[in-house]
Amino acid sequence: MLELSKITKVYTVGGVRQKVLKGIDLNFRESEFAAILGPSGSGKTTLLKLIAGLLVADNGHISGIKESADSGIIYCPQETDEAPENLYSVFWSDDNEVRKFFSMLKVNEEMISRYETLSGGEKKRIQIACALAENPSVLLLDEPTNHLDEATVKLISDTLKLFNGTGI
């Protein structure tokens, strides 16, 4: 179980302290997918970055994350401008368990070779395939369906059903 206890995060903007998260308590069970919903600026991305260890909480603690050489936490940011670091190694893997995510998300060799010119939806499919290929214990998807058509959202949703870890 992933547990967040009394998480508080404060940003200082223009000399003014703004509490984005205050005393957040959350529990996520293993093999469970949860959606975090809220308006822009409500702290969704901050919360995911805290769980990923990309930010440090001002108060509180996060526990229960299983980490090993093969798994841990994968954070997929909203932005897809840069290709995932593991793109070439996992796409060209001989492991069918790794490659199945690219197949399910309809990612092909031609797309890999022209990543910079792909649409946002195509890049998001590649980003998610690369994340799933790492078999993380916790998968954090920041706005995974923004600006995607219904067919692509379904494709991603169907692929995520194969993920056995905790998804947020």
Side-chain angles (χ1 to χ4, degrees):
M1 178 180 299
L2 173 61
E3 184 176 344
L4 287 75
S5 178
K6 310 232 183 294
I7 298 294
T8 298
K9 182 64 181 169
V10 177
Y11 289 110
T12 303
V13 180
V16 177
R17 290 176 45 89
Q18 297 178 331
K19 229 176 235 189
V20 177
L21 301 173
K22 180 181 178 183
I24 300 291
D25 292 317
L26 293 171
N27 293 306
F28 301 98
R29 284 183 248 138
E30 198 170 320
S31 300
E32 176 179 72
F33 245 94
I36 298 174
L37 306 172
S40 289
S42 63
K44 300 180 303 289
T45 295
T46 296
L47 184 64
L48 293 178
K49 287 182 175 183
L50 287 166
I51 295 169
L54 300 172
L55 293 175
V56 177
D58 295 305
N59 290 308
H61 69 277
I62 299 172
S63 61
I65 297 170
K66 295 179 187 175
E67 295 207 40
S68 70
D70 296 331
S71 64
I73 303 170
I74 300 285
Y75 171 71
C76 291
Q78 293 181 45
E79 304 80 25
T80 57
D81 295 337
E82 293 189 29
E85 288 181 20
N86 66 342
L87 174 57
Y88 300 103
S89 63
V90 293
F91 183 78
W92 296 110
S93 172
D94 292 334
D95 185 342
N96 287 334
E97 283 301 304
V98 169
R99 299 248 330 129
K100 74 180 175 188
F101 299 113
F102 291 94
S103 177
M104 291 186 71
L105 289 168
K106 300 183 179 179
V107 174
N108 59 47
E109 182 177 346
E110 182 265 337
M111 292 169 70
I112 301 301
S113 67
R114 60 178 192 86
Y115 185 87
E116 301 78 30
T117 63
L118 297 175
S119 71
E122 291 169 322
K123 289 178 178 180
K124 184 55 75 174
R125 290 187 349 238
I126 289 172
Q127 183 188 61
I128 291 173
C130 288
L132 290 169
E134 293 293 329
N135 193 29
S137 59
V138 179
L139 177 62
L140 306 169
L141 302 173
D142 197 346
E143 305 279 357
T145 59
N146 265 13
H147 314 295
L148 300 182
D149 63 24
E150 188 176 327
T152 303
V153 171
K154 181 171 178 6
L155 188 67
I156 289 170
S157 177
D158 289 346
T159 303
L160 289 173
K161 290 176 184 174
L162 295 179
F163 178 62
N164 293 320
T166 301
I168 304 170

